[in-house]
């Protein structure tokens, strides 16, 4: 009797061991982290991919057992006939979950930061590095009158639609849906309070952003921005030419110039605010939110001139009269000459 009991116990132990081994093997194959490095990585699947190219992209990221399981699951589910585009995580999740996400198009979102850049070309380059669509595809839309008109802008004013911030997108978002979201974020940014402040300053939303782009180019000192904005608003209200040096740099594409030469002031460009009164046709860069808020909360004062300080601190000397301004300008010119800056 004792012998039978021992035999039964032995069988149960063997079965238990087999079950544990099978459970371990199942976990190892289907549920252990799929990333080869142990860190989260991403596979990008685009419109041109087929099953072989998906395998080629996945294999360097995956453990050998995870890759083997993925291939078996792909075969029995006919994944090759239903490949979906996107950016998918390959990380701590097992091969089963990773396969389900890739097969069902459950993407890992992209954090896209809109930076304060100077040109549409810079903007398109920045964005296309993080998205499936190309730089040229986006740029062609941003420079199209019809496409810009759809959102209430022109190719000159379209930079105003992009509010610097970080946004979540799916990597395979189309250009249309991308622009739709940017327009939605633009409208969200322009709250009732901001619109009222713009109205009080006598500016439209696009004009606020256009002026903010000049302020952003004039100073990196956020504390000084409202004072700079106030000076330009005084000029606008007095119908004086803005004479903003950053607009000359934009018109001549001399973005790194330290001096503005007399010959540049005669350039026939609508962005030349020495030649043409009022604001330029559109922003000369995508301004920071700090600069936009500086225009909306500009400092009320009587200054109508400013000149960079001779200590190269990045701040400015302000003046109420042209005579005072000439003194400040002479100090700055002397400092440039002494430092051999052209």
């Amino acid at each position: 009797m004792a012998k039978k009991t021992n035999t039964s116990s032995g069988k149960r132990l063997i079965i238990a061991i087999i079950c544990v081994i099978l459970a371990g093997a199942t976990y190892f194959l289907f549920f252990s982290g799929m990333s080869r490095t142990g860190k989260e990585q991403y596979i990008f699947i685009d419109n041109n991919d087929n099953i072989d190219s998906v395998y080629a992209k996945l294999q360097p990221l995956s453990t050998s057992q995870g890759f083997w399981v993925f291939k078996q699951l792909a075969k029995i589910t006919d994944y090759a006939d239903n490949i979906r585009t996107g950016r998918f995580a390959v990380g701590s999740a097992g091969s089963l979950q990773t396969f389900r996400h890739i097969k069902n198009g459950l993407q890992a979102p992209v954090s896209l930061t809109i930076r304060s850049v100077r040109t549409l070309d810079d903007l398109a380059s920045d964005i296309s590095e993080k998205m499936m669509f190309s730089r040229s595809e986006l740029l062609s839309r941003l420079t199209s009158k019809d496409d810009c008109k759809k959102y209430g802008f022109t190719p000159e004013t379209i930079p105003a639609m992009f509010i610097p911030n970080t946004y979540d997108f799916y990597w395979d978002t189309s250009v249309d849906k991308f622009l739709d979201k940017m327009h939605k974020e633009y409208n969200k940014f322009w709250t009732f309070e901001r619109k009222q402040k713009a109205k009080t300053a006598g500016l439209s939303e696009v004009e606020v952003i256009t002026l903010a782009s000049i302020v952003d180019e004039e100073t990196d000192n956020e504390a000084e921005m409202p004072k700079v904005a106030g000076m330009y608003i005084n000029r606008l209200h007095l119908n004086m030419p803005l004479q903003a040096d950053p607009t000359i740099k934009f018109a001549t594409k001399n973005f790194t110039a330290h001096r503005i030469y007399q010959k540049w002031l005669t350039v026939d460009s609508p962005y030349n605010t020495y030649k043409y009164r009022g604001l330029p046709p559109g922003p000369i860069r995508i301004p920071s939110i700090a600069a936009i808020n500086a225009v909306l909360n500009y400092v009320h004062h009587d200054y109508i001139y400013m000149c960079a300080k001779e200590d190269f601190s990045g701040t400015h000397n302000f003046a109420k009269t042209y005579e005072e301004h000439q003194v400040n300008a002479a100090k700055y010119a002397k400092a440039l000459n002494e430092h051999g800056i052209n």
Side-chain angles (χ1 to χ4, degrees), residues 118 213-219 228 232 242-255 257 260 271-274 280 284-285 306 316:
R118 278 200 177 95
S213 71
I214 296 174
V215 171
D216 233 343
E217 283 285 310
E218 288 284 18
T219 182
V228 174
Y232 281 123
L242 291 186
Q243 296 184 330
D245 289 353
T247 65
I248 301 300
K249 293 180 182 180
F250 186 86
T252 60
K253 305 305 178 192
N254 287 292
F255 295 119
I260 301 299
Y271 290 90
N272 183 347
T273 57
Y274 279 79
I284 59 172
R285 70 175 302 125
M306 75 176 193
H316 296 78

Side-chain angles (χ1 to χ4, degrees), residues 309-320:
K309 284 185 178 179
E310 63 278 8
D311 61 3
F312 302 113
S313 62
T315 55
H316 296 78
N317 289 313
F318 292 82
K320 297 178 182 178

Side-chain angles (χ1 to χ4, degrees), residues 208-281:
V208 167
I209 292 179
T210 300
L211 181 52
S213 71
I214 296 174
V215 171
D216 233 343
E217 283 285 310
E218 288 284 18
T219 182
D220 292 326
N221 188 311
E222 291 185 6
E224 189 186 49
M225 284 181 177
K227 191 174 182 180
V228 174
M231 190 219 70
Y232 281 123
I233 287 175
N234 286 345
R235 282 184 164 253
L236 287 172
H237 290 171
L238 292 169
N239 197 31
M240 293 176 64
L242 291 186
Q243 296 184 330
D245 289 353
T247 65
I248 301 300
K249 293 180 182 180
F250 186 86
T252 60
K253 305 305 178 192
N254 287 292
F255 295 119
T256 59
H258 293 285
R259 290 177 184 263
I260 301 299
Y261 295 97
Q262 191 67 33
K263 62 183 179 180
W264 294 354
L265 303 183
T266 58
V267 169
D268 191 18
S269 165
Y271 290 90
N272 183 347
T273 57
Y274 279 79
K275 188 176 180 68
Y276 296 100
R277 293 176 189 273
L279 289 163

